[in-house]
Amino acid sequence: MLDAAALSGNQALAAACVIYLGVVFVTSRGLIAAPRYRALLGRIRDCRARIEILSAIDGAPTTQATCTAVERRLDDLEKHGTVVWRLLPRAGVVAIPLSKLASAWRVLHNAERRLLRLENDDETGILLRSLSLELAASKCPADVELAATLSGSPGSGPEASALLIASYERLHAREDAAIDAEFEQHRIALWLATTGVGVLLALGMALDHQLTMLLGALGGFLSPVIGVLRPQPERPRSWGVLVLAPVGGALAAVGGLLLVRLLADPDLNLLGQVFLDNSWDAPNQPLALAFALLFGFSGSLFSRLAATATRQFVPPAA
């Protein structure tokens, strides 16, 4: 009977881990990368429309050569296999590598700056004015300073064109750096989530704490859910936190029960007999399961308990 229950617990834990990995994959490709990819396609179409307008306005050989070169570069971004891979476009945008997507944005920014060199004086003045108003509304002091510089610049001529291109180059470099940093955080979170699932499977089968891990994962899932429901505009939620919360909650539940058993040990006797009887040695007791849910829900609870256990063995610094 106990062997059958342990086998069913292992199967439930394995099924939960497989489903979780599928959700993580869909989150990475369909919810994180897909919106950026759709925005990339929209900007590519805008560039193509601008190329048609510039080609019709100015038939000079240099203008035509630049438009042709930029259009070929944009063709490379829309080729199957450059950004989207493994799945056909009609099958859905769910397989977009973040590294390729970041490189595609850099290429697009370079193409947009190349087209700025072909703009006439009227269009340059409009772009300068629009960029100045946008930067003036920013909360960044550097953007406000750049907006003042653009407002005091001439509305046409080579100097205005050079200032416009330099401003966009600065903004594009900052945007590219932000995209690289964001995607790097996503890759780290995905690696930690995948590795954590493997650790969960190994610990669950070796320690026979499958139900503890499942309840800890539930608590880890409920924590960001409640945080999202509460209006906190000053603390935006990160995809990395949402992805790692169930894995961290499951691991914290197992570690938390072990810490409770340590602090409730008769030799230390910091928590009492109730915690000793409802912790590591009895993980299926209702009170122990409630502890697992709390540890998964609150990372600060596990941190405080770990700090309390550390103070029992490490003397305080002078």
Side-chain angles (χ1 to χ4, degrees):
M1 184 99 174
L2 294 177
D3 294 338
L7 182 60
S8 63
N10 290 334
Q11 292 175 348
L13 181 62
C17 290
V18 171
I19 294 174
Y20 174 75
L21 287 179
V23 172
V24 167
F25 179 81
V26 173
T27 300
S28 171
R29 305 309 192 193
L31 299 181
I32 298 176
R36 291 295 183 92
Y37 177 67
R38 296 188 185 99
L40 176 71
L41 293 181
R43 293 274 286 270
I44 290 176
R45 296 188 184 98
D46 292 340
C47 281
R48 291 188 182 279
R50 195 59 194 166
I51 287 173
E52 294 180 2
I53 295 174
L54 293 174
S55 299
I57 293 176
D58 190 356
T62 55
T63 301
Q64 297 297 326
T66 302
C67 291
T68 302
V70 173
E71 192 168 11
R72 289 177 180 174
R73 193 64 174 134
L74 295 178
D75 291 338
D76 294 336
L77 294 181
E78 291 185 326
K79 285 181 179 179
H80 179 64
T82 304
V83 177
V84 181
W85 57 287
R86 291 200 304 175
L87 291 182
L88 298 177
R90 63 176 179 271
V93 185
V94 294
I96 308 172
L98 299 180
S99 57
K100 289 186 177 181
L101 188 58
S103 300
W105 273 103
R106 291 182 180 274
V107 173
L108 177 62
H109 288 158
N110 190 19
E112 290 177 342
R113 293 195 301 271
R114 182 65 60 180
L115 292 178
L116 288 177
R117 302 174 185 270
L118 306 179
E119 300 290 353
N120 54 35
D121 292 342
D122 293 338
E123 189 67 25
T124 300
I126 293 174
L127 291 175
L128 275 175
R129 183 61 176 169
S130 176
L131 183 60
S132 175
L133 292 176
E134 181 181 355
L135 293 176
S138 175
K139 297 181 180 180
C140 179
D143 290 345
V144 177
E145 183 180 356
L146 181 58
T149 303
L150 295 178
S151 300
S153 65
S156 61
E159 183 179 353
S161 179
L163 183 59
L164 179 64
I165 295 173
S167 301
Y168 271 104
E169 185 173 2
R170 174 182 174 181
L171 295 177
H172 286 166
R174 186 174 65 183
E175 184 179 353
D176 292 336
I179 290 176
D180 290 339
E182 179 185 357
F183 287 171
E184 182 66 22
Q185 291 179 356
H186 292 326
R187 286 191 289 268
I188 293 174
L190 294 176
W191 182 87
L192 289 175
T194 305
T195 307
V197 166
V199 174
L200 285 179
L201 286 173
L203 289 178
M205 296 179 181
L207 302 178
D208 195 21
H209 279 70
Q210 298 88 349
L211 190 56
T212 300
M213 293 181 177
L214 291 175
L215 285 176
L218 177 61
F221 174 76
L222 291 177
S223 178
V225 167
I226 295 177
V228 169
L229 294 178
R230 294 175 180 174
Q232 293 179 340
E234 70 279 0
R235 294 179 60 187
R237 290 290 175 178
S238 170
W239 278 111
V241 174
L242 297 178
V243 168
L244 286 176
V247 177
L251 295 175
V254 177
L257 287 185
L258 186 59
L259 289 177
V260 169
R261 175 62 180 82
L262 170 66
L263 296 178
D265 191 85
D267 293 335
L268 294 177
N269 197 23
L270 295 178
L271 295 180
Q273 187 67 30
V274 175
F275 293 92
L276 180 63
D277 297 335
N278 296 273
S279 58
W280 184 261
D281 298 328
N284 295 326
Q285 295 296 325
L287 191 57
L289 296 178
F291 288 155
L293 183 64
L294 289 177
F295 282 121
F297 181 82
S298 176
S300 60
L301 177 62
F302 176 81
S303 301
R304 293 175 181 176
L305 198 64
T308 302
T310 303
R311 286 194 294 267
Q312 304 305 314
F313 304 100
V314 179

